[in-house]
Amino acid sequence: MNERRGGDRYVISFPIRVRWKDNNGKPIIEEGLTENVGPSSTLIYLPRHLPTVGSKVELTVTENIKDEVTVKAEVIRLERNASHPQAALMLTDQLRAWKKKVWQLAAETIASEKPEEFDEW
């Protein structure tokens, strides 16, 4: 699934925590899941509140409690589906840590879930 985004995107659900400030400067913290993970972007699901397009957010992937990965990102698009609200994020900082600890983990996780190929006789 190579696209012009600069690498494969993996459909995978990692637990996340997102922090941002609302229009009044009040801090908001939401927990959710990644929907898919790319090398420099991600689509996330947040059940209650979405940040606005253009917002700067801090995204922490909490999959590995001992080694959480926190990156800065900007909201580039929203999917305001009432039952499944999503935000598309473009990462703006800590890209190396993201690629190494989140994107590669997604690739390895997906690869390990593929069914075994049968040898052709």
Side-chain angles (χ1 to χ4, degrees):
M1 200 161 126
N2 281 327
E3 297 178 10
R4 64 183 182 277
R5 294 179 174 128
D8 290 340
R9 298 177 73 75
Y10 301 103
V11 175
I12 194 158
S13 293
F14 288 142
I16 55 166
R17 185 171 54 248
V18 184
R19 299 169 194 255
W20 74 93
K21 289 190 166 107
D22 71 9
N23 295 338
N24 301 320
K26 182 179 149 225
I28 296 176
I29 300 174
E30 278 287 322
E31 308 239 334
L33 294 168
T34 60
E35 294 279 319
N36 66 45
V37 169
S40 61
S41 61
T42 184
L43 182 66
I44 61 170
Y45 160 68
L46 295 174
R48 289 185 297 279
H49 302 291
L50 290 174
T52 56
V53 171
S55 296
K56 305 280 193 266
V57 302
E58 185 182 273
L59 169 67
T60 301
V61 178
T62 58
E63 175 74 11
N64 182 347
I65 300 299
K66 295 186 183 80
D67 193 18
E68 293 184 348
V69 179
T70 299
V71 297
K72 302 246 189 300
E74 182 176 337
V75 180
I76 54 173
R77 182 173 49 84
L78 297 178
E79 298 290 335
R80 295 187 181 277
N81 179 328
S83 65
H84 203 80
Q86 299 170 318
L89 305 180
M90 180 63 64
L91 308 185
T92 58
D93 192 21
Q94 298 297 326
L95 282 166
R96 194 176 308 168
W98 174 268
K99 280 185 182 173
K100 188 173 169 188
K101 296 180 180 177
V102 179
W103 188 59
Q104 285 182 354
L105 176 62
E108 290 161 12
T109 304
I110 296 291
S112 70
E113 290 173 355
K114 286 190 176 152
E116 292 293 314
E117 295 288 327
F118 291 104
D119 288 331
E120 290 193 26
W121 292 85

